[in-house]
Amino acid sequence: MFGSGPDTGHGNSGVSGPLLIPMRFVWPYGGRRVFLSGSFTRWLEHIPMSPMEGCPTVFQVICSLSPGYHQFKFFVDGEWRHDEHQPFVNDNYGIVNTIFIAREPNLVAPSFSTETPGRSNMDVDDAFVSSEPVTTVSDADLEVSRNRVSAFLSRHTAYELLAESGKVIALDVNIAVKQAFHILYEQGIPVAPLWDSCKGQFVGVLSALDFILILRELGNHGSNLTEEELETHTISAWKEGKVYLGRQIDGNARSYPRCLVQAGPYDSLKDVALKILKSKVATVPIMHSTSRDGSFQQLLHLGTLSEILKCICRHFKHSASSLPILQQPICSIPLGTWVPNIGEPNGRPLAMLRPNATLGAALSLLIQAEVSSIPIVDENDSLLDIYSRSDITALAKDKAYAQIHLDEMSVHQALQLGQDANFFNGQRCQMCLGSDTLHKVMERLANPGVRRLVIVEAGTKRVEGIVSLSDVFRFLLGV
């Protein structure tokens, strides 16, 4: 496509001498074979790019460039492409991306990466780019997008979430916690509605958080968790003491609702989503009753934000332009929890742990920080794994809960116990980049079993933030 031409990188730099600065180029949009070419190769050489470990759709390469102005383009599966989220111009060679590398570090601020300026932890020796900041979404576009999402969710009902066939597992409140523990593990489910045969109705939900609180409480009464203690503790007895226990955690833990949060099949998807967000639960049972007093309940389905998000993605798939915010990179919108940059005010901190941290510390952090997962990182804060609430049920494997002590088992050892657990479909650590569009992030979160994405730096996998299903819905609904 490109013939020989002047090396704009060297010709316009105005800098003499062999000064070269390493620069990382990233193509985060997938492909089978990706190459980089530019004015710095006189458009003659195609430099192969390599997929990033753990993120096969992200390709990268590091080139040493002279300070000055450069143009570049990507050759993806035989087709010339440019990155629309980086500065570009219409040149003799078509649309090309541009980059300016300053000789002095203090000349320009933002560094070239696929993440947001100011948030990036991609340390490339004195390499800087003179580029316009990522365009932020206008208030008008945000309002239009939110109104259209809200209107869609208001028009559609929870009935549309029901599958043509399937099963929902419910537990009797009078069975032992130990038995419930094993059922959730064996069935590969993190949550189950609770049925009270005396009252003839569903009265609550048993979740992974219940098991976390139970194990911590039992651990306070002895050096080891015993199978006998779990054998004699029924779900009903546990639920009765849960409110009291919740108030003992740091003395100010939020109270746990006594009533079951549920929805009807004809409730709007917006109402279902708001119930999940307000109650801070992972799922809402969809119930139907044939009587006016609400008795004779039928459990139809367990509604989740993931399913509702899938409906949104499917509806707007061929009309994405009607939602202007979908093409915004997530780094440019108030979405998720980010690691604060040096000098920035520290808002809600991002909880992270080393693999040698104790399981007890991980469980305490899950409760105190009121999060559903914690990234596990190395000494450079690069992502190694993630520990989630639902991982606790892996202790049911081979009755591990009866042999371990929470303050002696490490997070790494606990994760090894659950390597073959079937809570996750596909890769455990679901990642994204700060440059990924909201649309791309929403499509990934709409996949079954995915509740959050860890935002990482291209190349190093250094954790920069985390975005969850709840974050996306709070942003889309403006709550």
Side-chain angles (χ1 to χ4, degrees), residues 82-263:
H82 71 282
D83 189 343
E84 295 180 354
H85 296 110
Q86 296 295 335
F88 60 86
V89 297
N90 202 331
D91 196 76
N92 295 334
Y93 301 125
I95 301 178
V96 296
N97 289 116
T98 61
I99 174 178
F100 180 81
I101 305 175
R103 178 167 184 162
E104 298 297 332
N106 58 352
L107 292 183
V108 242
S111 62
F112 177 80
S113 77
T114 57
E115 284 74 28
T116 174
R119 290 195 196 274
S120 176
N121 293 322
M122 187 177 293
D123 300 320
V124 184
D125 301 337
D126 296 335
F128 294 85
V129 178
S130 177
S131 62
E132 297 179 0
V134 176
T135 305
T136 56
V137 64
S138 68
D139 291 340
D141 284 345
L142 180 57
E143 184 177 1
V144 167
S145 300
R146 282 176 171 171
N147 286 340
R148 287 174 178 167
V149 170
S150 179
F152 166 75
L153 294 178
S154 298
R155 290 194 308 267
H156 295 262
T157 67
Y159 188 82
E160 298 176 46
L161 301 179
L162 274 60
E164 293 183 2
S165 62
K167 66 177 180 179
V168 181
I169 296 175
L171 302 175
D172 192 289
V173 293
N174 293 316
I175 69 172
V177 169
K178 169 198 168 184
Q179 187 178 354
F181 204 6
H182 282 279
I183 291 173
L184 292 195
Y185 173 76
E186 292 167 359
Q187 296 296 325
I189 55 175
V191 62
L194 298 176
W195 172 259
D196 190 324
S197 55
C198 295
K199 296 180 179 179
Q201 62 183 14
F202 290 94
V203 294
V205 168
L206 190 72
S207 69
L209 178 59
D210 287 300
F211 291 118
I212 292 175
L213 294 174
I214 289 171
L215 293 183
R216 291 180 76 247
E217 178 69 5
L218 292 177
N220 292 333
H221 298 306
S223 59
N224 289 285
L225 304 176
T226 65
E227 188 176 353
E228 287 74 21
E229 287 177 299
L230 291 179
E231 183 75 62
T232 59
H233 209 70
T234 66
I235 297 176
S236 179
W238 159 246
K239 287 294 184 180
E240 289 176 2
K242 186 177 179 182
V243 174
Y244 173 79
L245 176 60
R247 289 172 181 165
Q248 303 308 307
I249 303 171
D250 292 340
N252 58 359
R254 62 185 177 90
S255 60
Y256 296 91
R258 289 182 177 274
C259 58
L260 172 64
V261 179
Q262 59 181 294

Side-chain angles (χ1 to χ4, degrees), residues 62-82:
I62 296 178
C63 300
S64 295
L65 307 183
S66 61
Y69 178 79
H70 302 268
Q71 295 180 347
F72 62 96
K73 207 160 184 176
F74 302 93
F75 194 62
V76 184
D77 296 337
E79 179 183 355
W80 287 103
R81 303 274 298 277
H82 71 282

Side-chain angles (χ1 to χ4, degrees), residues 149-461:
V149 170
S150 179
F152 166 75
L153 294 178
S154 298
R155 290 194 308 267
H156 295 262
T157 67
Y159 188 82
E160 298 176 46
L161 301 179
L162 274 60
E164 293 183 2
S165 62
K167 66 177 180 179
V168 181
I169 296 175
L171 302 175
D172 192 289
V173 293
N174 293 316
I175 69 172
V177 169
K178 169 198 168 184
Q179 187 178 354
F181 204 6
H182 282 279
I183 291 173
L184 292 195
Y185 173 76
E186 292 167 359
Q187 296 296 325
I189 55 175
V191 62
L194 298 176
W195 172 259
D196 190 324
S197 55
C198 295
K199 296 180 179 179
Q201 62 183 14
F202 290 94
V203 294
V205 168
L206 190 72
S207 69
L209 178 59
D210 287 300
F211 291 118
I212 292 175
L213 294 174
I214 289 171
L215 293 183
R216 291 180 76 247
E217 178 69 5
L218 292 177
N220 292 333
H221 298 306
S223 59
N224 289 285
L225 304 176
T226 65
E227 188 176 353
E228 287 74 21
E229 287 177 299
L230 291 179
E231 183 75 62
T232 59
H233 209 70
T234 66
I235 297 176
S236 179
W238 159 246
K239 287 294 184 180
E240 289 176 2
K242 186 177 179 182
V243 174
Y244 173 79
L245 176 60
R247 289 172 181 165
Q248 303 308 307
I249 303 171
D250 292 340
N252 58 359
R254 62 185 177 90
S255 60
Y256 296 91
R258 289 182 177 274
C259 58
L260 172 64
V261 179
Q262 59 181 294
Y266 301 109
D267 289 352
S268 71
L269 291 180
K270 182 178 180 179
D271 288 340
V272 176
L274 290 175
K275 284 184 178 181
I276 293 176
L277 293 176
K278 183 179 179 180
S279 305
K280 296 183 179 180
V281 294
T283 184
V284 166
I286 309 299
M287 303 283 197
H288 177 63
S289 176
T290 56
S291 61
R292 292 184 178 180
D293 61 359
S295 58
F296 303 105
Q297 292 176 320
Q298 291 179 306
L299 177 60
L300 304 178
H301 188 65
L302 295 180
T304 65
L305 291 179
S306 176
E307 294 175 320
I308 301 175
L309 187 61
K310 190 172 184 178
C311 292
I312 296 175
C313 292
R314 184 169 57 240
H315 178 76
F316 292 100
K317 182 177 182 179
H318 300 297
S319 58
S321 58
S322 64
L323 297 182
I325 59 174
L326 287 186
Q327 298 310 315
Q328 286 290 319
I330 60 172
C331 63
S332 68
I333 55 180
L335 180 70
T337 303
W338 295 75
V339 175
N341 203 18
I342 296 177
E344 289 182 347
N346 191 1
R348 183 184 182 187
L350 179 64
M352 293 188 287
L353 286 175
R354 300 282 188 263
N356 59 351
T358 66
L359 179 58
L363 300 185
S364 296
L365 189 56
L366 283 170
I367 296 171
Q368 293 166 1
E370 292 189 347
V371 294
S372 62
S373 62
I374 303 172
I376 309 301
V377 298
D378 63 13
E379 63 276 5
N380 298 315
D381 289 343
S382 295
L383 184 66
L384 298 174
D385 211 322
I386 192 165
Y387 192 84
S388 304
R389 286 180 185 174
S390 55
D391 286 320
I392 193 67
T393 51
L395 294 181
K397 179 184 179 182
D398 300 326
K399 301 179 182 178
Y401 54 77
Q403 290 88 36
I404 63 101
H405 192 285
L406 296 181
D407 292 327
E408 293 179 358
M409 172 174 278
S410 69
V411 174
H412 175 68
Q413 291 170 328
L415 286 170
Q416 285 183 318
L417 285 176
Q419 282 182 348
D420 62 344
N422 50 354
F423 302 119
F424 296 89
N425 294 327
Q427 188 176 320
R428 273 189 53 87
C429 291
Q430 298 288 340
M431 296 177 285
C432 69
L433 301 177
S435 63
D436 286 342
T437 63
L438 176 60
H439 186 217
K440 186 174 183 179
V441 167
M442 287 169 58
E443 287 187 326
R444 289 185 183 178
L445 285 171
N447 291 324
V450 180
R451 293 193 58 194
R452 85 283 303 167
L453 299 176
V454 182
I455 307 167
V456 299
E457 178 185 70
T460 66
K461 291 202 294 185

